Amino acid sequence: MGGFISKKAKILGEVLGPSVILGESFIGDGTIIDQQVYIGYPKKSKLLRNPRGIEELDALSLGSRIGSKCVIRSQTIIYEEVQMGDVVETGHGVMIREGSKIGSNTRIGSFTQLDGAVIIGSNVNIQSRVYLPHLTVVEDDVFIGPCAIVTNDRYPLSRRLSGVRIERGAVIGAGAILMAGIRISERAVVAAGAIVTKDVPENKVVVGVPARIKMDRDEYEEKKRRYEEGA
Amino acid sequence: MGGFISKKAKILGEVLGPSVILGESFIGDGTIIDQQVYIGYPKKSKLLRNPRGIEELDALSLGSRIGSKCVIRSQTIIYEEVQMGDVVETGHGVMIREGSKIGSNTRIGSFTQLDGAVIIGSNVNIQSRVYLPHLTVVEDDVFIGPCAIVTNDRYPLSRRLSGVRIERGAVIGAGAILMAGIRISERAVVAAGAIVTKDVPENKVVVGVPARIKMDRDEYEEKKRRYEEGA
Amino acid sequence: MGGFISKKAKILGEVLGPSVILGESFIGDGTIIDQQVYIGYPKKSKLLRNPRGIEELDALSLGSRIGSKCVIRSQTIIYEEVQMGDVVETGHGVMIREGSKIGSNTRIGSFTQLDGAVIIGSNVNIQSRVYLPHLTVVEDDVFIGPCAIVTNDRYPLSRRLSGVRIERGAVIGAGAILMAGIRISERAVVAAGAIVTKDVPENKVVVGVPARIKMDRDEYEEKKRRYEEGA
């Protein structure tokens, strides 16, 4: 990547190698921007104005805001108008589209994609290769396993998008698929590989295709405790 | 990426930053090539000839043809002998292997992979992270949701590959898996998460694991209409 | 990518364009390192020491060892303390985290991720977009289809990780999901899209959600033989 740092950007952290930072982006103190990172990538409507070179892109970008003590690894692409709190870590090749907001102490695994206007809370742990489309909301303290897929259109290609909401403390297993518009309630658990077609109540654990309630969160925690002890 | 534009390439569009364009590639008028794009990547047999540096790779590459008014975003890799029509848009990190053909007015989402000799029609909308292996055919006006997986080998690792054909106007839901050799007929719909093990007839909607017919496309369109109205 | 080759690295092969090779890395004879490759990427604990620039990262990296006659394609990221045998081929965008070991004559498809301390044997064929978490073991002669997902935590987020073991000669179909801690025994076959929740015995073929035994490997091979003949 040809390194390019906008004159409008304010960078308190460290940029380790050639990266592109456009517009009035802000990079907080103690934050590490790896190389081959792109921050402030312009949304589609701006690309279609036929910019001629990186300076014109820079003039079009509104930039993004990255907090303090973050680690943004190589090949990560962050569009314009993204807000990220403090102590956020991204893996490699993460893509975060325009208008997304991320809290603090949150981890976003390699190759995970937040496809625009996605809201992520604090203390969230999203593993690698997760797909979160436009309008998804993930509250605080949620865990999302690798390769989980969230959707936002019940009858594609419709004119109505319905974001999924994953409430505080919920756990989503690897490779699970969540249908458009559903709510995963507080402390609910979705098993790996489950396909969830309707709302999951608080503290319930769902498994299977389509997903059905199998137990309560308390029972899950008890099983987990025994598993951790090696039983 | 160290920028390199072959002297043999003909570029009418705009290259926004360091990218590699090899061989007798053609880039149409009004097309935007973002940075970190690779066009004309040589297929394996040429890499194994032990090229020493990019000039030797350039001499080996046959190049590719990109039409007019396309947008090719960063980290996209297009192998040699690819043909792309006009007004085609790729997301970031798209990979298109050798011998693939893409019509016009088609969109290919971020991190989607066309794994060689894949034929895509016009007015096709392929979302992010879709995997289309060697020999897949996608006709005009098809929609493919994010993370869908198409296969081409019924008994891996066999010596016979059987491409999937997705016919005109069909809809493939997010995360669906299509088995090798099947045909998704015109205007058929595959629900999100479905695993399709046999041909789907025209105008039928299939759901589940394994996928079974649930309704006609007309009924689907009626449900969709009510959903869009907020019912 | 800003090219950077550590003075401590020993490179017998060819580096085709700007890539980063850190620490006491070794690149064997006849190996091709494409451009935009990163070898010797430091693990997290080192990034958190707040290195200022690539030279400090280089001082922290222990490097990795790549054998002879390998092909490492663009955008591949190999962390430190990785050992790779001879004649290994990676696609584009492959990610291999610290402490992983890979035998010889093995192929790792594009965008596949080995998430740390993953052991891969020789003559293994891993297709594109496969996810193998920390502690996964893949023995010799295994085939893993595209987009397969392996997990390592039965009750996320637990303190105990249980790696999956895929034994010699096993076949894993596209998009299959393997639950934490299970063993896929020698020459077993997992069908595409199957969700495997318990050990699969030797020479058995499992299909479905959850996966159940459907036939023996011998019967599978007979079906495969007829399929290859076009029946």
Side-chain angles (χ1 to χ4, degrees), chain B residues 75-94:
Chain B
Q75 296 176 15
T76 290
I77 300 166
I78 298 174
Y79 272 61
E80 60 182 337
E81 297 190 271
V82 169
Q83 292 181 42
M84 189 182 281
D86 300 330
V87 200
V88 173
E89 179 185 352
T90 75
H92 304 272
V94 169

CSV table of all heavy atoms in Angstrom, one decimal, chain B residues 75-94:
chain,number,residue,atom,x,y,z
B,75,GLN,N,-7.5,-4.6,-2.5
B,75,GLN,CA,-7.2,-6.0,-2.2
B,75,GLN,C,-7.9,-7.0,-3.1
B,75,GLN,O,-7.8,-8.2,-2.8
B,75,GLN,CB,-7.5,-6.3,-0.7
B,75,GLN,CG,-6.6,-5.5,0.3
B,75,GLN,CD,-7.0,-5.7,1.7
B,75,GLN,OE1,-7.7,-6.7,2.1
B,75,GLN,NE2,-6.5,-4.9,2.6
B,76,THR,N,-8.5,-6.6,-4.2
B,76,THR,CA,-9.1,-7.5,-5.1
B,76,THR,C,-8.0,-8.1,-6.0
B,76,THR,O,-7.1,-7.4,-6.4
B,76,THR,CB,-10.2,-6.8,-6.0
B,76,THR,OG1,-11.3,-6.4,-5.2
B,76,THR,CG2,-10.6,-7.6,-7.2
B,77,ILE,N,-8.1,-9.4,-6.2
B,77,ILE,CA,-7.1,-10.1,-7.1
B,77,ILE,C,-7.9,-10.7,-8.3
B,77,ILE,O,-8.8,-11.6,-8.1
B,77,ILE,CB,-6.5,-11.2,-6.3
B,77,ILE,CG1,-5.7,-10.7,-5.1
B,77,ILE,CG2,-5.5,-12.1,-7.2
B,77,ILE,CD1,-5.3,-11.7,-4.0
B,78,ILE,N,-7.5,-10.3,-9.4
B,78,ILE,CA,-8.1,-10.9,-10.7
B,78,ILE,C,-7.0,-11.6,-11.4
B,78,ILE,O,-6.0,-10.9,-11.8
B,78,ILE,CB,-8.8,-9.7,-11.5
B,78,ILE,CG1,-9.9,-9.1,-10.7
B,78,ILE,CG2,-9.3,-10.3,-12.8
B,78,ILE,CD1,-10.5,-7.9,-11.3
B,79,TYR,N,-7.2,-12.9,-11.6
B,79,TYR,CA,-6.2,-13.6,-12.4
B,79,TYR,C,-6.2,-13.3,-13.9
B,79,TYR,O,-7.0,-12.5,-14.3
B,79,TYR,CB,-6.5,-15.1,-12.2
B,79,TYR,CG,-5.8,-15.7,-11.0
B,79,TYR,CD1,-6.1,-15.3,-9.7
B,79,TYR,CD2,-4.9,-16.8,-11.1
B,79,TYR,CE1,-5.5,-15.9,-8.6
B,79,TYR,CE2,-4.3,-17.3,-10.0
B,79,TYR,CZ,-4.6,-16.9,-8.8
B,79,TYR,OH,-4.0,-17.4,-7.7
B,80,GLU,N,-5.3,-13.9,-14.6
B,80,GLU,CA,-5.3,-13.7,-16.1
B,80,GLU,C,-6.5,-14.3,-16.7
B,80,GLU,O,-7.1,-15.2,-16.2
B,80,GLU,CB,-4.0,-14.2,-16.6
B,80,GLU,CG,-3.8,-15.7,-16.4
B,80,GLU,CD,-2.4,-16.2,-17.0
B,80,GLU,OE1,-1.8,-15.5,-17.8
B,80,GLU,OE2,-1.9,-17.2,-16.5
B,81,GLU,N,-6.8,-13.9,-18.0
B,81,GLU,CA,-7.8,-14.5,-18.8
B,81,GLU,C,-9.2,-14.4,-18.1
B,81,GLU,O,-10.0,-15.3,-18.2
B,81,GLU,CB,-7.5,-16.0,-19.1
B,81,GLU,CG,-6.2,-16.1,-19.9
B,81,GLU,CD,-6.0,-17.5,-20.5
B,81,GLU,OE1,-5.4,-18.4,-19.7
B,81,GLU,OE2,-6.5,-17.8,-21.6
B,82,VAL,N,-9.4,-13.3,-17.5
B,82,VAL,CA,-10.8,-13.0,-16.9
B,82,VAL,C,-11.4,-11.9,-17.8
B,82,VAL,O,-10.7,-11.0,-18.3
B,82,VAL,CB,-10.7,-12.5,-15.5
B,82,VAL,CG1,-12.0,-11.9,-15.0
B,82,VAL,CG2,-10.2,-13.6,-14.6
B,83,GLN,N,-12.7,-12.0,-18.1
B,83,GLN,CA,-13.4,-11.0,-18.9
B,83,GLN,C,-14.5,-10.5,-18.0
B,83,GLN,O,-15.3,-11.2,-17.5
B,83,GLN,CB,-14.0,-11.6,-20.1
B,83,GLN,CG,-13.0,-12.0,-21.2
B,83,GLN,CD,-13.6,-12.6,-22.4
B,83,GLN,OE1,-14.6,-12.0,-22.9
B,83,GLN,NE2,-13.1,-13.7,-22.9
B,84,MET,N,-14.6,-9.1,-17.9
B,84,MET,CA,-15.6,-8.5,-17.1
B,84,MET,C,-16.2,-7.4,-17.9
B,84,MET,O,-15.5,-6.6,-18.6
B,84,MET,CB,-14.9,-7.9,-15.9
B,84,MET,CG,-15.8,-7.3,-14.8
B,84,MET,SD,-14.8,-6.6,-13.5
B,84,MET,CE,-14.2,-8.0,-12.5
B,85,GLY,N,-17.6,-7.4,-17.9
B,85,GLY,CA,-18.3,-6.4,-18.7
B,85,GLY,C,-18.3,-5.0,-18.1
B,85,GLY,O,-17.3,-4.7,-17.4
B,86,ASP,N,-19.2,-4.2,-18.4
B,86,ASP,CA,-19.3,-2.8,-18.0
B,86,ASP,C,-20.1,-2.7,-16.7
B,86,ASP,O,-21.0,-3.5,-16.4
B,86,ASP,CB,-19.9,-1.9,-19.0
B,86,ASP,CG,-19.2,-1.9,-20.4
B,86,ASP,OD1,-17.9,-2.1,-20.3
B,86,ASP,OD2,-19.8,-1.8,-21.4
B,87,VAL,N,-19.8,-1.6,-15.9
B,87,VAL,CA,-20.5,-1.3,-14.7
B,87,VAL,C,-20.6,-2.5,-13.8
B,87,VAL,O,-21.6,-2.8,-13.2
B,87,VAL,CB,-22.0,-0.8,-15.0
B,87,VAL,CG1,-22.5,0.0,-13.8
B,87,VAL,CG2,-22.0,0.1,-16.3
B,88,VAL,N,-19.4,-3.1,-13.6
B,88,VAL,CA,-19.3,-4.2,-12.6
B,88,VAL,C,-18.6,-3.6,-11.4
B,88,VAL,O,-17.7,-2.8,-11.5
B,88,VAL,CB,-18.5,-5.4,-13.2
B,88,VAL,CG1,-18.2,-6.4,-12.1
B,88,VAL,CG2,-19.2,-6.0,-14.3
B,89,GLU,N,-19.1,-4.0,-10.2
B,89,GLU,CA,-18.5,-3.4,-9.0
B,89,GLU,C,-18.0,-4.6,-8.1
B,89,GLU,O,-18.7,-5.6,-7.9
B,89,GLU,CB,-19.6,-2.7,-8.2
B,89,GLU,CG,-19.2,-2.1,-6.9
B,89,GLU,CD,-20.4,-1.5,-6.2
B,89,GLU,OE1,-21.5,-1.4,-6.8
B,89,GLU,OE2,-20.3,-1.1,-5.0
B,90,THR,N,-16.8,-4.5,-7.7
B,90,THR,CA,-16.3,-5.5,-6.7
B,90,THR,C,-16.1,-4.8,-5.3
B,90,THR,O,-15.7,-3.7,-5.3
B,90,THR,CB,-15.0,-6.2,-7.1
B,90,THR,OG1,-13.9,-5.3,-6.8
B,90,THR,CG2,-15.0,-6.7,-8.5
B,91,GLY,N,-16.4,-5.6,-4.3
B,91,GLY,CA,-16.0,-5.1,-2.9
B,91,GLY,C,-14.5,-5.3,-2.7
B,91,GLY,O,-13.8,-5.5,-3.7
B,92,HIS,N,-14.1,-5.3,-1.5
B,92,HIS,CA,-12.7,-5.4,-1.1
B,92,HIS,C,-12.3,-6.9,-1.0
B,92,HIS,O,-13.2,-7.7,-0.6
B,92,HIS,CB,-12.4,-4.8,0.2
B,92,HIS,CG,-12.8,-3.4,0.3
B,92,HIS,ND1,-11.9,-2.3,-0.1
B,92,HIS,CD2,-13.9,-2.8,0.7
B,92,HIS,CE1,-12.5,-1.2,0.1
B,92,HIS,NE2,-13.8,-1.4,0.5
B,93,GLY,N,-11.1,-7.2,-1.4
B,93,GLY,CA,-10.6,-8.6,-1.2
B,93,GLY,C,-11.3,-9.7,-2.0
B,93,GLY,O,-11.3,-10.8,-1.7
B,94,VAL,N,-11.9,-9.2,-3.1
B,94,VAL,CA,-12.6,-10.2,-4.0
B,94,VAL,C,-11.5,-11.0,-4.8
B,94,VAL,O,-10.4,-10.4,-5.1
B,94,VAL,CB,-13.5,-9.5,-5.0
B,94,VAL,CG1,-14.0,-10.4,-6.1
B,94,VAL,CG2,-14.7,-8.9,-4.3
